[in-house]
Amino acid sequence: MASIPAVAPRVQINPGTMIPSFSLWKREVVRFYRQRARVIGVILSPLLFWIVIGSGFGRSFRGGAGAGEHYLAFFFPGALTMIVLFTSIFTMMSVIEDRNEGFLLSVLVAPVSRSVIVLGKVLGGTTLAAVQGLIFLVFAPLIGVHFTLTSFLLIALTVFLVAFSLTALGFAIAWPMDSTQAFHAIINLFLVPLWMLSGSMFAVKDASKWLGYLMLINPLTYGTEAIRGLMYPEMAEPNFPVGMDLAILGGFALVMFAIAFALANRRTTRPSA
């Protein structure tokens, strides 16, 4: 009796996610830096805001800066946070633009996981926001701040975590939307309050009791606090150690990415052509 040849099981190998994610990441970076007006605006707007607020209203907010500390120095981490915030959130407007142009639909029908979109888009926005924020650090010597290698690396890590979490938040907001106008309306509703209640303009200890509670539940507060503590270790009065701030930021980043991932993988979400 002739033996039946064994049939090897068919193993379906899903396409990898790294190359497609890298392609989306590269597309985000290249598209942003081709729009020079956006690059200039992202840097100059917070720079002007830092100078005007720090110089013009320094006396009014003197209490938040601490004894002997000029308000320009106190406000610098807040201006840095503003750059990261605006770049992270508004970069994700490209999700809506890609949907309306039909590009997102072509990616969705490709034989790759939807996690590719989340990873590529979020990493692209994170890279842009983190780079823009770190570029702003070149102005730090003007206020007498000089970094050690350790402090610079910790600041870079903090900026990356803030950028990653906010980019994931922007992705989660933009994913179900078809209109950039609706995106702007929702962002403007809480974008500025989110930043103002992060300890950027005044410290938690100088806020009223109920406002202080809101600031403590704002994850962005811990990013601003960590940057300020690393820049001025002898002047800052942190609510938590830098390690705790980074742990909270890391947890917030994971939660935001998980939400973005879950939204992108909902099969009921149907982007328009």
Side-chain angles (χ1 to χ4, degrees):
M1 183 174 179
S3 60
I4 300 176
V7 178
R10 294 183 61 186
V11 179
Q12 295 184 351
I13 301 176
N14 294 325
T17 61
M18 294 310 298
I19 294 179
S21 295
F22 175 78
S23 300
L24 288 174
W25 169 85
K26 182 179 179 181
R27 183 173 182 270
E28 289 293 313
V29 174
V30 171
R31 180 164 62 176
F32 180 83
Y33 283 108
R34 282 180 177 175
Q35 301 172 344
R36 296 185 179 180
R38 289 180 61 187
V39 178
I40 295 173
V42 165
I43 291 292
L44 289 187
S45 295
L47 177 61
L48 293 175
F49 200 69
W50 170 54
I51 294 174
V52 171
I53 294 294
S55 301
F57 297 105
R59 294 181 182 272
S60 301
F61 293 105
R62 181 71 65 179
E69 183 182 358
H70 195 279
Y71 189 73
L72 273 174
F74 176 85
F75 189 53
F76 188 88
L80 173 59
T81 304
M82 176 187 284
I83 291 178
V84 177
L85 175 66
F86 275 79
T87 307
S88 300
I89 295 294
F90 284 106
T91 297
M92 288 299 96
M93 194 164 56
S94 65
V95 174
I96 303 173
E97 295 171 349
D98 287 345
R99 175 181 292 115
N100 294 337
E101 294 170 359
F103 175 79
L104 186 59
L105 183 61
S106 65
V107 176
L108 288 173
V109 299
V112 294
S113 170
R114 292 192 178 196
S115 60
V116 166
I117 303 174
V118 185
L119 186 60
K121 286 284 187 180
V122 171
L123 285 181
T126 299
T127 301
L128 293 171
V131 169
Q132 299 291 105
L134 293 177
I135 288 175
F136 190 69
L137 289 177
V138 301
F139 299 104
L142 298 178
I143 54 176
V145 176
H146 301 282
F147 305 104
T148 64
L149 178 61
T150 301
S151 64
F152 178 80
L153 292 177
L154 287 175
I155 289 176
L157 175 61
T158 305
V159 170
F160 176 84
L161 290 175
V162 172
F164 187 89
S165 56
L166 291 176
T167 305
L169 173 62
F171 184 97
I173 296 173
W175 179 259
M177 294 187 175
D178 297 318
S179 169
T180 56
Q181 290 80 3
F183 180 80
H184 275 285
I186 291 182
I187 290 302
N188 290 332
L189 182 64
F190 67 89
L191 187 64
V192 174
L194 183 70
W195 174 76
M196 293 185 66
L197 295 179
S198 67
S200 296
M201 298 185 67
F202 50 88
V204 176
K205 63 182 180 63
D206 297 314
S208 60
K209 190 173 183 179
W210 67 272
L211 202 59
Y213 287 137
L214 290 179
M215 295 174 72
L216 288 176
I217 64 175
N218 179 7
L220 203 57
T221 299
Y222 302 95
T224 305
E225 180 183 88
I227 294 172
R228 183 172 289 125
L230 291 167
M231 292 181 67
Y232 319 114
E234 71 284 351
M235 296 181 181
E237 298 178 10
N239 297 293
F240 299 100
V242 172
M244 181 66 71
D245 291 331
L246 293 177
I248 294 173
L249 279 176
F252 178 57
L254 289 176
V255 170
M256 288 296 99
F257 186 78
I259 292 174
F261 182 82
L263 287 174
N265 282 276
R266 285 175 56 190
R267 294 300 172 181
T268 54
T269 301
R270 183 174 58 86
S272 59

